[in-house]
Amino acid sequence: MKRAKARHLAPKTERVQEYLDGARDLFMFSMKGEPLTTDVSMVKAAEVKVRRALLLDPSSYDAILLLGDILADYDDDLKSSEEAIRWYDLAMSMEPDDPEPYHGKAGVLFWDLKQPGAAEQFARQAIALNCRRRRDVFLLEMAYSTLIAALMEQRKFAEAREALRKAQWRCPTESMKALVADTLRELPPES
């Protein structure tokens, strides 16, 4: 009996992975051009595929996180932003040490819902988890970008300067150097 069940699960697991791979590809290729634009039809197709994966496996962490990312990318309304946050919250409850859902939620809170104080909290958590767990430089750059923007919006200039110093040290990339230089020009002089 166990063997028959295991054989039955393999195709289901493979289909979930196929849907996820297809959704990731569509989502990644939906963003193109200079300046970056999003092909909404490709994002919607990615959403359909990831929801199919969740129908087959409602506990798929990767699908839950990807759905949060897809919904966060919609520029259409408050509803998709709030739904993205719910998916990120579910992802955080499943994998509390993964920085990605914290970063995703920070981005939605800051850029879509205009809540810099809450965004700051989640960006700081994403940075701390990333530094402790795996050092994904791209994710670290993005989390620092959100943190610095949230601090600037709240006029927490001394904290923004400190975040810039840490970001430059932890992410010695060209894009981070450019962000630091641009942001330092925007900051009022230190008192």
Side-chain angles (χ1 to χ4, degrees):
M1 186 76 165
K2 277 188 177 181
R3 247 185 206 178
K5 189 174 184 178
R7 272 185 274 158
H8 177 64
L9 289 178
K12 180 179 168 182
T13 302
E14 289 171 11
R15 281 186 295 164
V16 168
Q17 193 59 51
E18 286 173 16
Y19 284 135
L20 282 175
D21 291 344
R24 275 191 202 97
D25 289 345
L26 284 166
F27 185 54
M28 293 307 296
F29 292 122
S30 72
M31 296 171 264
K32 57 188 172 205
E34 262 315 306
L36 192 63
T37 57
T38 302
D39 181 333
V40 176
S41 64
M42 289 180 80
V43 175
K44 288 185 186 287
E47 180 184 355
V48 168
K49 285 191 178 283
V50 78
R51 287 188 187 276
R52 285 181 181 162
L54 283 166
L55 285 173
L56 291 172
D57 184 2
S59 65
S60 169
Y61 177 77
D62 291 335
I64 289 165
L65 185 58
L66 182 56
L67 186 54
D69 291 342
I70 290 168
L71 291 166
D73 199 52
Y74 282 130
D75 292 331
D76 61 354
D77 61 14
L78 181 65
K79 183 181 173 192
S80 62
S81 297
E82 290 173 344
E83 188 177 355
I85 284 182
R86 285 193 298 276
W87 288 104
Y88 287 136
D89 285 341
L90 179 57
M92 284 183 256
S93 72
M94 294 172 75
E95 295 279 339
D97 292 333
D98 185 359
E100 287 187 53
Y102 295 89
H103 168 257
K105 186 172 181 176
V108 171
L109 287 166
F110 183 75
W111 302 108
D112 298 344
L113 301 179
K114 311 298 185 223
Q115 298 177 18
E120 175 190 346
Q121 171 192 350
F122 285 97
R124 287 186 188 281
Q125 187 67 24
I127 291 165
L129 289 169
N130 192 311
C131 291
R132 196 172 33 220
R133 186 170 183 211
R134 62 178 179 195
R135 286 286 192 165
D136 178 332
V137 174
F138 177 75
L139 180 64
L140 200 54
E141 271 187 4
M142 298 304 292
Y144 267 116
S145 296
T146 303
L147 173 62
I148 292 162
L151 292 169
M152 296 284 289
E153 183 70 22
Q154 297 174 85
R155 305 186 62 74
K156 294 181 175 180
F157 300 126
E159 289 181 52
R161 276 189 185 82
E162 182 60 27
L164 287 165
R165 284 185 201 101
K166 287 181 180 177
Q168 199 167 20
W169 178 71
R170 289 181 175 154
C171 307
T173 63
E174 291 302 314
S175 58
M176 185 52 70
K177 287 177 190 173
L179 173 71
V180 168
D182 290 345
T183 307
L184 285 173
R185 281 193 289 275
E186 294 174 27
L187 283 170
E190 287 185 82
S191 49

